Amino acid sequence: MNQDLGRIQSLRRVLEAVGQGSGVSRSIVVVMGKGGVPGRDTARLLLLGNPIRSAMAPLVEASGEEVSMLASLIVAAPKSSAPLVGRSAGAVARTLERWVEARENRALEQKVLRFRSLVTSAVLGAVTSMLATLGPLVGSLGFVGGEATGPGALVYGAAAMAAIGSGMLGAFMSGSRFYVNVAVCLAAFGLVWAAASPLGSVSAVGLWGVK
């Protein structure tokens, strides 16, 4: 689970407990004392007699804006009607929780799409390399007329086309990290070429010339 999401859920439960009439300090100790760092540290500081503002300082100063905002509401709750603040801020916390969950889901989906684009780039490089490497062999069988293209020209041209295609796919899926797709494509292209190039150098007898 995302660290900020876990903290937001803990703070939401604190606010809901405060909104139901539980004391702010008691709610923090009961709810956050069962969580991880810095929840347990906050509960421990309160039990040692530290004020709420001091105990909640790590959460108020957290890098996540959502966590910082909810922690600030909890710190400010004793200065006004704590149950009212708890009920109002609890609804805000649920909204923020859904927002962070949606943001995390989008990030995961983006990672899956980037991984699929890498797989697609590898397949593109492998298939293109196989076709370019075995092209001269197929052409030497005499199925088609005309002069066969040299193997070097085919390989270099195919590698360029595969790199361009994978680069465009990477730019669409990963933005500025498109070069990773190009590198994966060319690596797959090189591996398949190294494995299949001995076959491409075989001299085949034209089938149409066999009596």
Side-chain angles (χ1 to χ4, degrees):
M1 180 186 296
N2 183 279
Q3 187 178 45
D4 283 347
L5 181 58
R7 292 177 178 178
I8 289 173
Q9 291 174 346
S10 296
L11 295 174
R12 173 180 57 79
R13 290 193 292 270
V14 171
L15 289 167
E16 290 175 348
V18 172
Q20 294 171 1
S22 178
V24 178
S25 297
R26 182 178 183 278
S27 299
I28 294 174
V29 171
V30 171
V31 174
M32 303 190 70
K34 302 176 182 178
V37 180
R40 288 196 300 268
D41 292 340
T42 300
R44 180 176 57 83
L45 290 173
L46 284 175
L47 291 173
L48 291 175
N50 290 274
I52 295 177
R53 178 176 294 277
S54 176
M56 294 286 291
L59 291 172
V60 173
E61 299 170 359
S63 58
E65 296 180 358
E66 298 86 359
V67 174
S68 179
M69 182 178 69
L70 293 178
S72 299
L73 290 173
I74 293 175
V75 170
K79 300 179 181 179
S80 58
S81 175
L84 179 60
V85 172
R87 287 192 295 271
S88 302
V92 175
R94 286 190 292 273
T95 301
L96 291 176
E97 184 179 345
R98 289 193 294 270
W99 164 257
V100 173
E101 286 178 345
R103 187 174 62 191
E104 184 178 6
N105 289 336
R106 285 197 301 271
L108 291 175
E109 290 174 358
Q110 191 64 30
K111 289 180 180 179
V112 171
L113 289 176
R114 284 198 292 266
F115 176 76
R116 289 179 177 176
S117 72
L118 292 176
V119 173
T120 303
S121 297
V123 172
L124 174 63
V127 172
T128 307
S129 178
M130 180 66 71
L131 293 175
T133 305
L134 299 182
L137 176 61
V138 176
S140 65
L141 295 177
F143 290 113
V144 293
E147 184 179 354
T149 305
L154 278 176
V155 171
Y156 293 137
M161 292 177 60
I164 293 172
S166 62
M168 294 176 64
L169 177 63
F172 179 74
M173 293 294 183
S174 307
S176 59
R177 299 186 62 187
F178 68 93
Y179 57 86
V180 179
N181 291 71
V182 177
V184 170
C185 177
L186 292 179
F189 189 99
L191 289 174
V192 174
W193 176 82
S197 57
L199 295 176
S201 61
V202 174
S203 299
V205 178
L207 295 182
W208 300 116
V210 177
K211 298 294 184 178

